[in-house]
Amino acid sequence: MRFVLYNHIGSANHGCEALARTVPRLFGDSCILLLSDAPEEEKRYGVNRKLKTYPAKQKAYSVDGYFLMAYLQLKLAHNYFYMDLMPYHNLTEKLYKTDVLVSIGGDIFCYDDYPKHILLHRHLMKNLRRSLLIGCSIDAERLKDPSLLKDLESFDLITAREHLTLHALKKAGLKNVQFCPDTAFCLQPERTPLPKDFRLYQTVGINVSPLILKKAGEDNLILENIRRLIREILEKTDLSVALIPHVVQPDNDDRLPLLNLYTGFKDSGRVCMVRDRSAPELKWVISKCRYFIGARTHAVIAAYSTGVPAIALGYSVKSKGIAEDLFGSDTHYVLHYSQLTSPNCLIKNWYWLTEHEDEIKKISIAKTALCKKQIAAAGRMIREMFAENNDTDSAKEMVCNG
């Protein structure tokens, strides 16, 4: 038996990297294969040193019956999801009947292109018997789609990473659901050099993403909130500021809005731009901050899990749900982009964070310890669930160990 991880867009999204590094721990010593949309990124960040990886996409494909059907879907029904599936079409040839398919794209159902992932799961499961959906976040409104519910019912097990999603899935009638915190809480930081103007435990880490700017529409207001906060920090405190990218993929590169911010403060001597690094190294950098404000969920989890008081700039159920699980409420801990109605909203929230710093640290450390125990328990449950099917086919072992 082999666990095959998919829905991994590549490790230049360091949240996805964090999951690719930590989800396998749920399966113990089992044979694991990572299907990556961007295998060159696994090499760049060293993920391929830990996991056997294989390209999920093919660059060229033949004009066959499926292509013609997908093309007609696009032209006649304006449905592009079948064409999106084309690069994955021959992937079934690389799978064994005894493989367990594992979706590690936790938030894939938060976005409008989720039907593509329904089709991909259905396609890959043609010759397989079992599949898992690990660490998902899904808005209750999305569960009104019958096609999504049918797909979710077909998984042997779904783990929800926060209770808002868990309750929504159960309310929708799903029985195959368990709670398991995001496995990135277990990601081990790796020491890395800090930028010159980074002051140990006296720096405010800031992350912003093109995604939240796009969703908000009023992106200038979000950036203006952050600019005013940086100005406030420089004028009213002796803290420094570190701008920390957590996704550096084309068309979704945090460095672009962060460089926009950096330009206005680069001569202060107290604002630095953190270069791209692996997820464990970025977690190390974030752990050395005193406070953190971030739009990327796994950048915020890096702060939570190392005891750094944090504000999530949220846009979906995942940031709200994780904050509620940790702190009992998302108020003050999550600023949804719709709440940024004036240029000073973030400043007010940051001052609240500083006033409750010690309390937040204690809660974060205690809840992270609990999360790690819950993740370990979920791993034991999954391993017991598949223990009876753990055969040792020599061909599969050869592919796994490569």
Side-chain angles (χ1 to χ4, degrees), residues 41-317:
E41 294 176 8
E42 315 318 319
K43 184 176 181 180
R44 186 188 316 162
Y45 299 106
V47 175
N48 66 336
R49 294 197 294 268
K50 301 286 185 180
L51 286 174
K52 177 71 177 176
T53 62
Y54 186 85
K57 292 180 173 183
Q58 59 183 117
K59 294 181 179 178
Y61 35 82
S62 58
V63 177
D64 56 12
Y66 181 88
F67 175 85
L68 294 174
M69 181 275 293
Y71 183 77
L72 288 173
Q73 282 283 340
L74 178 64
K75 291 298 181 182
L76 301 179
H78 305 292
N79 181 343
Y80 61 87
F81 299 120
Y82 288 91
M83 286 300 291
D84 282 350
L85 195 62
M86 278 300 305
Y88 304 95
H89 192 55
N90 293 333
L91 196 53
T92 52
E93 298 172 6
K94 303 298 179 182
L95 301 177
Y96 300 99
K97 288 185 178 180
T98 52
D99 283 341
V100 179
L101 197 64
V102 184
S103 174
I104 62 172
D107 59 357
I108 56 174
F109 298 115
C110 292
Y111 306 110
D112 291 339
D113 67 347
Y114 74 91
K116 176 184 77 173
H117 299 286
I118 296 175
L119 292 174
L120 180 58
H121 182 226
R122 187 190 306 165
H123 175 68
L124 295 180
M125 289 299 292
K126 283 181 179 177
N127 298 315
L128 304 183
R129 297 194 299 265
R130 311 193 78 172
S131 63
L132 306 174
L133 172 57
I134 298 296
C136 72
S137 290
I138 307 177
D139 190 277
E141 192 67 22
R142 194 77 82 188
L143 294 171
K144 294 178 181 179
D145 180 352
S147 65
L148 175 55
L149 271 180
K150 183 178 179 181
D151 182 59
L152 294 174
E153 287 171 351
S154 69
F155 285 94
D156 289 85
L157 176 69
I158 298 170
T159 69
R161 61 177 160 187
E162 23 77 22
H163 281 84
L164 278 180
T165 291
L166 180 72
H167 297 325
L169 291 170
K170 288 187 173 181
K171 188 175 181 180
L174 291 165
K175 308 295 184 184
N176 54 340
V177 186
Q178 297 286 337
F179 172 69
C180 176
D182 195 301
T183 56
F185 275 92
C186 292
L187 182 69
Q188 194 67 27
E190 288 183 8
R191 183 184 292 270
T192 186
L194 297 170
K196 179 173 67 73
D197 293 325
F198 190 108
R199 295 175 57 225
L200 201 61
Y201 303 117
Q202 294 299 318
T203 294
V204 181
I206 294 177
N207 162 262
V208 68
S209 71
L211 182 60
I212 195 171
L213 299 184
K214 182 179 179 181
K215 282 184 171 290
E218 293 290 335
D219 57 336
N220 288 331
L221 185 56
I222 292 178
L223 291 178
E224 185 58 26
N225 263 270
I226 297 173
R227 283 193 194 94
R228 291 199 181 194
L229 175 61
I230 295 173
R231 196 173 298 118
E232 185 82 3
I233 290 168
L234 297 181
E235 292 176 358
K236 302 289 180 63
T237 79
D238 62 353
L239 298 171
S240 296
V241 174
L243 304 174
I244 306 175
H246 211 258
V247 174
V248 295
Q249 289 177 318
D251 303 320
N252 191 18
D253 193 331
D254 295 353
R255 291 173 296 188
L256 298 179
L258 290 174
L259 281 169
N260 184 330
L261 293 167
Y262 178 66
T263 301
F265 300 100
K266 62 181 180 180
D267 296 328
S268 67
R270 289 167 57 194
V271 178
C272 62
M273 183 83 180
V274 175
R275 65 172 175 81
D276 180 36
R277 305 162 197 241
S278 70
E281 290 172 325
L282 287 171
K283 186 166 184 176
W284 172 269
V285 174
I286 291 169
S287 75
K288 302 309 172 187
C289 294
R290 185 165 175 179
Y291 309 102
F292 185 75
I293 295 148
R296 297 292 185 181
T297 298
H298 286 95
V300 176
I301 288 176
Y304 289 155
S305 58
T306 54
V308 177
I311 298 170
L313 301 176
Y315 58 86
S316 73
V317 65

